[in-house]
Amino acid sequence: MILQSPRALQVHRLQVNGRAVEVAAAPGRRLSTVLREDLALPGTKVGCDAGDCGACTVLLDGDAVCACLLPLAQAEGRAVTTIEGLGEAGRLAALQAAFLKHGAAQCGICTPGMIMAGAALLAQSPKPSAAQVEEALGGVLCRCTGYRKIITAVCEAWRFEGAQPASPQPAAGAAVGVPVERLDGVEKVNGRDRFGADSWPAEALAVRVLRSPHHHAGFRLGNLEAWRASTPGLTAVLTAADIPGQNRYGVIPPFADQPALATDVARFRGEAVALVVGEASVVATLDLDTFPIDWEERPAVLTAAAAQDPAAPQLHADRPGNLLTQGLVECGDPEAALASAVFTVEGSVETAYVEHAYIEPEAGAAWMEGDCLVIQACTQAPGMDRADTAVVLGLPESRVRIIPTATGGGFGSKLDVSLQPLLGLAVLKTGRPARLVYTRRESMASTTKRHPASLQARIGADAEGRIVGFQMEGAFNTGAYASWGPTVANRVPVHASGPYRTPNYRTRARAIHSHGPISGAFRGFGVPQAAILQEQLYDELAEACGMDRLAFRRLNALRDGDATVTGQVLEAGVGIADCLEALQGPWDEALAAADAANVEGGPWRRGVGLASCWYGCGNTSLSNPSTIKIALAADGAVVLHQGAVDIGQGSNTVIAQIAADALGLPLSQFRLVGGDTAVTPDAGKTSASRQTFVSGRAAAAAGASLRTAILREANVSTDATLSVTGQRLTVTEAGASRDLDLGALPADAEGYVFRAEETYDPPTTPLDEKGQGKPYAVYGYGAQLVELSVDKGLGLVRLHRITAAHDLGRVINPLLAEGQIEGGIAQGIGLALMEEYLPGRSENLHDYLIPTIGDVPEVRSILIEKPDPEGPFGAKGLGEHALIPTAPAILNAIRHACGAKITQLPALPHRVLAAIRKAEGRA
Ligand code: FES
């Protein structure tokens, strides 16, 4: 068979996964494109098309190569192996099994590349060392896992040759607490998971987006129809004038301000201005530089400070001073407390734009089914996507269906719609299915970032080292449009005290518009930035008080019965003191090791740092319900309709574990129906560390409700046990069993004979004008200890080990919890030491550096269980928490090592050197 690519020039013959194939294509066509689009092997992923991320790694005659960099001609006559070529029918290869067993795949977008790079290594070294793995996999990026479990999986793969160890299969009622493999894991390690760019209707048109090359510019469109007509195969050119609904969307409706396509003015570089839609072969090669548009570049302000200058251009007419909004929390009398404090410290810090850098750029496809617009795309929030898309396209929500694909990382940015309304517009206007895949550059230029923050604070303590007063002011650069700026402004003041008793307190956070990239949600919603300053100052305050830094934190840690700075009394489940106590031994050992190492002299100085976190799970003082449905089908299947999008964090597995125990049937009998606005109830967005807690509570309620319905039908008490074998449901009580033939019971339209659907919404209260109230129903806590060395001559930082103690209330799945901690720490390392997004200058993964496999040290996780009565089985959230303490703990360790006080992040070597010189009085 000869496969024809649209611009066939030459027939190429090669072996792919042991099969001889011929491909008629241009010699320069990327091998990754040939594999994915010509040979229907989408297990090979594309994250950058530049050889930076390694997601497309395949084997070429046994060597690991980036398929995106390899022209087809260079594969001529050679053997190519992809992820689909590993393993045998129905059986995973040993390395794939090891990845699954060790939790080495989270979102799974990097997993095929990781596995192929690992396979090349194992062919040479069947039992490699960790150092060999780090070297062999150094070219493949992972944004989720923190790499440690990947290293373990490759090192341990040899154990999975032959008979592979059976997975733990918890019995009925015993799933919670068991480190079960992720239920959606097989497809992630065998390359069968389908992400946004992996499937589309055969007749789909391709869409490209024309974007602003300027930070701020007016524009005039030329003769679009003439331009379109001059290019055969170009079906439509669409602009704001084509939008049938309201050309304005936003994740927080009262602040909605972002046009799907700009009208007249672009407010940031990368803003979408027009769509070109046509046959894929035409659109892919179209020169958008010929697009008829005249730009008028205008003055731009890129920082919050510049945007607050009275002479600065105003981005939105109704937001004077470029102030989007501000949040305030105040209690006691901080001025008086600071004036009378025995010890006071003060300081400031500046943080950078941080890019989410998920390995999967935004991608999806859309089509019509009857009068319903169907959009299949990566996302964290299908319900919100539907709402925003419907508004823009002027459709009732009932005529928009969102089907989330597997999502290759999100970390907050895929909460905002990106391509969904654009795809929908293309479909509505052309009447054809459409497909859109962002390039790495446009993904980085056009989607949200972590807010750059400018923070100042002053903190005081009494003679015994008790915190008596705290003040912080923060300006957060929220970029051109609102996105999650209001959430950051509200969340930071609630959390800026850290998990410490603070009787007199005022923190104000302002979200300021600029012409920079839009700042949105990124793992922590501003809290990590505040913690960077607050935890550094607590180190200084401890020293001023003459106290050990850990002892200072243990003295001030919140405990059950304490009130927070919002006046919320935490009745139970406050686990920060437990986390800090768990670090006492590692802390003492680390300090002793640092002292011993520093005796030797030399440029490398060893230091130890510590920081804490707390984080409220779910929306701040706003309703954020989740609904979960569970049913028992006539064929005996237990079906969990679980719409909490699993972006790698493990909600598919964790929520099923909770539901299984609430229902009383084994987890292994569950069948998952994933997020799809047509078939799963709305479980809300995957953000704010809410899914384990909020959707978990809904799942527990739904499981219990289904159990009640079954027991009622069987007329037995709540002590009865359940089992299902085929169509037979057996109910056993006091040694007596009774069978129900499920096939004989009346079934509903979905084939279910029993069903339950329950909703849970966390009980919170609004915050008053001083920020007093109950913003969250559940908080999670944690503390991390960092050991590192600093080269005083070069400013380099080498991490040795991070010990992380996190209170999860109840650990639903220890394997997945460790993965969250390790992944959060890796992102915290990037925040502290290397990540700085510069608009227009680092819109790719070779100028924007994220931690690689060699940058994440050993991580020791300590899981603390201090149950919260509100959480399902006592559980709390973890996702954001794991990132928050890492950066300040690193900065505190740097200062401990060499005296360098870092006030501008990231702590790049030149900044560390400058801080060392300043500390030594040489600045
Ligand atoms: Fe590696 Fe998500 S699991 S990028």
Side-chain angles (χ1 to χ4, degrees):
M1 174 179 61
I2 297 181
L3 296 153
Q4 292 286 333
S5 92
R7 302 183 72 195
L9 292 177
Q10 215 171 300
V11 175
H12 300 270
R13 296 175 178 82
L14 57 156
Q15 289 258 329
V16 177
N17 296 332
R19 188 170 67 99
V21 299
E22 295 181 345
V23 183
R29 190 166 169 85
R30 297 175 193 270
L31 179 62
S32 52
T33 309
V34 171
L35 293 170
R36 289 175 54 80
E37 305 210 357
D38 302 342
L39 299 175
L41 294 170
T44 297
K45 307 305 180 191
V46 172
C48 67
D49 265 342
D52 296 322
C53 74
C56 63
T57 300
V58 299
L59 302 186
L60 185 69
D61 291 338
D63 294 330
V65 298
C66 280
C68 75
L69 293 183
L70 198 79
L72 175 58
Q74 288 189 21
E76 181 84 45
R78 304 176 74 177
V80 176
T81 307
T82 72
I83 188 79
E84 291 94 343
L86 297 186
E88 300 155 10
R91 190 171 190 278
L92 298 175
L95 182 55
Q96 292 170 312
F99 263 63
L100 185 60
K101 174 76 176 173
H102 288 289
Q106 288 190 17
C107 81
I109 191 75
C110 74
T111 306
M114 287 288 183
I115 287 178
M116 298 315 295
L121 171 66
L122 294 177
Q124 303 298 320
S125 304
K127 294 185 180 179
S129 66
Q132 284 178 297
V133 176
E134 288 184 19
E135 186 174 344
L137 275 60
V140 188
L141 296 176
C142 176
R143 193 55 157 166
C144 300
T145 65
Y147 301 104
R148 304 311 301 180
K149 295 193 183 305
I150 291 173
I151 295 171
T152 302
V154 180
C155 288
E156 299 287 313
W158 61 273
R159 297 183 190 278
F160 294 78
E161 298 288 356
Q164 293 173 356
S167 306
Q169 290 296 335
V176 167
V178 177
V180 294
E181 297 161 3
R182 59 174 62 244
L183 301 182
D184 52 6
V186 171
E187 292 74 22
K188 294 184 186 298
V189 301
N190 69 11
R192 303 296 197 277
D193 219 358
R194 291 293 170 261
F195 293 84
D198 289 345
S199 63
W200 59 94
E203 68 280 19
L205 296 170
V207 182
R208 274 177 69 190
V209 186
L210 182 86
R211 298 184 179 280
S212 170
H214 305 293
H215 299 300
H216 183 204
F219 62 86
R220 270 215 337 260
L221 298 168
N223 189 338
L224 301 180
E225 179 51 27
W227 185 76
R228 186 203 65 75
S230 68
T231 308
L234 198 55
T235 308
V237 176
L238 304 172
T239 67
D242 296 296
I243 289 176
Q246 170 186 303
N247 188 15
R248 190 171 65 241
Y249 66 83
V251 288
I252 305 173
F255 291 91
D257 59 1
Q258 185 169 358
L261 294 171
T263 49
D264 305 329
V265 61
R267 295 183 176 86
F268 72 100
R269 178 184 157 85
E271 181 159 9
V273 171
L275 305 181
V276 294
V277 188
E279 301 303 329
S281 59
V282 174
V283 169
T285 55
L286 203 58
D287 181 4
L288 288 184
D289 285 346
T290 65
F291 190 91
I293 186 169
D294 289 327
W295 292 101
E296 178 214 342
E297 192 171 359
R298 297 176 182 172
V301 285
L302 293 176
T303 66
Q308 291 172 88
D309 187 303
Q314 190 165 320
L315 275 88
H316 300 276
D318 58 344
R319 294 172 187 165
N322 289 318
L323 176 66
L324 167 64
T325 189
Q326 60 183 336
L328 172 75
V329 171
E330 180 179 316
C331 67
D333 186 342
E335 280 84 8
L338 286 166
S340 63
V342 178
F343 305 102
T344 59
V345 293
E346 60 187 0
S348 63
V349 77
E350 303 272 337
T351 71
Y353 270 120
V354 181
E355 156 69 21
H356 297 74
Y358 28 75
I359 305 303
E360 181 204 29
E362 291 71 8
W367 59 89
M368 295 301 296
E369 284 182 7
D371 68 351
C372 184
L373 172 67
V374 181
I375 299 175
Q376 170 188 283
C378 54
T379 182
Q380 294 178 238
M384 291 166 59
D385 290 351
R386 178 174 61 177
D388 268 343
T389 302
V391 165
V392 171
L393 299 179
L395 296 172
E397 286 193 27
S398 60
R399 286 187 53 202
V400 179
R401 175 183 181 185
I402 303 289
I403 304 175
T405 60
T407 295
F411 318 116
S413 190
K414 290 178 182 170
L415 291 166
D416 299 57
V417 297
S418 53
L419 43 63
Q420 292 85 352
L422 307 182
L423 274 169
L425 181 64
V427 170
L428 293 184
K429 292 295 178 182
T430 65
R432 293 265 304 270
R435 181 190 183 213
L436 176 51
V437 180
Y438 280 8
T439 63
R440 168 58 54 185
R441 182 174 292 276
E442 75 177 324
S443 171
M444 292 180 75
S446 68
T447 62
T448 62
K449 309 282 172 279
R450 180 182 296 287
H451 285 72
S454 175
L455 300 154
Q456 302 84 39
R458 189 160 180 249
I459 315 177
D462 65 15
E464 283 75 43
R466 290 188 173 82
I467 298 164
V468 295
F470 184 115
Q471 285 181 330
M472 183 183 282
E473 283 282 328
F476 290 78
N477 180 354
T478 205
Y481 297 107
S483 183
W484 295 95
T487 304
V488 167
N490 286 324
R491 224 175 227 280
V492 167
V494 173
H495 289 86
S497 65
Y500 308 109
R501 290 189 210 101
T502 312
N504 302 287
Y505 176 88
R506 181 186 303 115
T507 290
R508 186 172 65 131
R510 292 170 299 140
I512 310 291
H513 282 299
S514 76
H515 295 104
I518 304 165
S519 299
F522 190 169
R523 216 167 183 170
F525 287 97
V527 176
Q529 294 95 307
I532 284 168
L533 177 57
Q534 150 242 311
E535 286 288 338
Q536 286 189 90
L537 290 179
Y538 284 146
D539 257 27
E540 294 180 35
L541 191 53
E543 288 168 16
C545 296
M547 292 179 70
D548 170 83
R549 293 174 286 157
L550 175 56
F552 174 86
R553 288 173 170 86
R554 292 184 68 177
L555 173 71
N556 285 289
L558 287 166
R559 294 171 189 274
D560 288 352
D562 281 340
T564 73
V565 292
T566 71
Q568 178 179 0
V569 176
L570 303 171
E571 303 288 356
V574 182
I576 184 58
D578 306 71
C579 295
L580 292 167
E581 183 182 347
L583 291 182
Q584 186 67 59
W587 175 252
D588 295 338
E589 290 169 16
L591 288 175
D595 287 345
N598 290 337
V599 167
E600 294 179 8
W604 286 98
R605 307 297 293 170
R606 193 162 172 129
V608 185
L610 181 75
S612 303
C613 75
W614 69 324
Y615 195 76
C617 304
N619 286 0
T620 309
S621 289
L622 289 173
S623 170
N624 61 138
S626 264
T627 302
I628 297 287
K629 182 169 95 177
I630 311 181
L632 191 54
D635 64 2
V638 185
V639 186
L640 177 63
H641 289 249
Q642 200 287 96
V645 178
D646 193 329
I647 57 171
Q649 84 281 23
S651 56
N652 281 341
T653 308
V654 165
I655 291 171
Q657 286 178 266
I658 292 169
D661 281 9
L663 172 58
L665 283 171
L667 181 65
S668 58
Q669 292 190 311
F670 272 60
R671 181 157 62 81
L672 298 185
V673 175
D676 175 338
T677 56
V679 296
T680 47
D682 188 0
K685 61 195 188 302
T686 292
S687 81
S689 301
R690 63 179 292 282
Q691 294 295 19
T692 297
F693 161 42
V694 183
S695 294
R697 269 293 299 260
S705 182
L706 182 62
R707 177 178 172 80
T708 299
I710 294 170
L711 298 181
R712 190 183 305 125
E713 173 74 18
N715 197 23
V716 292
S717 79
T718 54
D719 294 334
T721 59
L722 307 176
S723 64
V724 176
T725 308
Q727 287 190 326
R728 193 177 72 242
L729 168 67
T730 302
V731 183
T732 303
E733 184 176 34
S737 293
R738 180 181 160 203
D739 287 346
L740 291 176
D741 180 359
L742 296 171
L745 296 175
D748 65 15
E750 292 179 282
Y752 299 148
V753 293
F754 293 102
R755 61 188 289 150
E757 183 172 311
E758 297 290 343
T759 298
Y760 174 75
D761 195 4
T764 62
T765 66
L767 299 177
D768 66 17
E769 69 279 2
K770 290 198 168 183
Q772 298 298 294
K774 180 183 177 183
Y776 310 104
V778 167
Y779 295 82
Y781 306 86
Q784 294 178 6
L785 186 167
V786 170
E787 298 168 76
L788 54 70
S789 292
V790 180
D791 183 328
K792 290 185 71 174
L794 298 173
L796 299 172
V797 175
R798 183 190 299 156
L799 298 169
H800 301 305
R801 183 187 298 125
I802 297 180
T803 306
H806 284 269
D807 168 30
L808 286 74
R810 178 77 186 275
V811 182
I812 305 295
N813 185 318
L815 181 69
L816 299 181
E818 287 177 6
Q820 283 297 290
I821 291 171
E822 291 166 12
I825 283 173
Q827 292 184 356
I829 291 170
L831 172 66
L833 296 177
M834 62 183 73
E835 296 190 38
E836 183 169 23
Y837 181 83
L838 302 170
R841 289 171 53 194
S842 55
E843 294 161 353
N844 56 66
L845 291 173
H846 54 265
D847 292 311
Y848 186 83
L849 299 180
I850 64 172
T852 68
I853 198 167
D855 293 318
V856 182
E858 175 193 0
V859 175
R860 292 181 181 169
S861 295
I862 302 171
L863 305 181
I864 305 289
E865 292 189 308
K866 181 134 188 190
D868 191 301
E870 191 67 26
F873 297 96
K876 306 163 182 173
L878 174 66
E880 338 263 307
H881 309 70
L883 177 142
I884 295 168
T886 309
I890 288 173
L891 300 178
N892 284 339
I894 290 173
R895 183 165 165 274
H896 180 238
C898 61
K901 181 176 174 181
I902 305 298
T903 56
Q904 184 175 1
L905 271 73
L908 298 170
H910 71 279
R911 291 181 182 141
V912 176
L913 264 187
I916 290 171
R917 291 200 185 98
K918 188 172 180 185
E920 293 177 345
R922 294 190 287 134

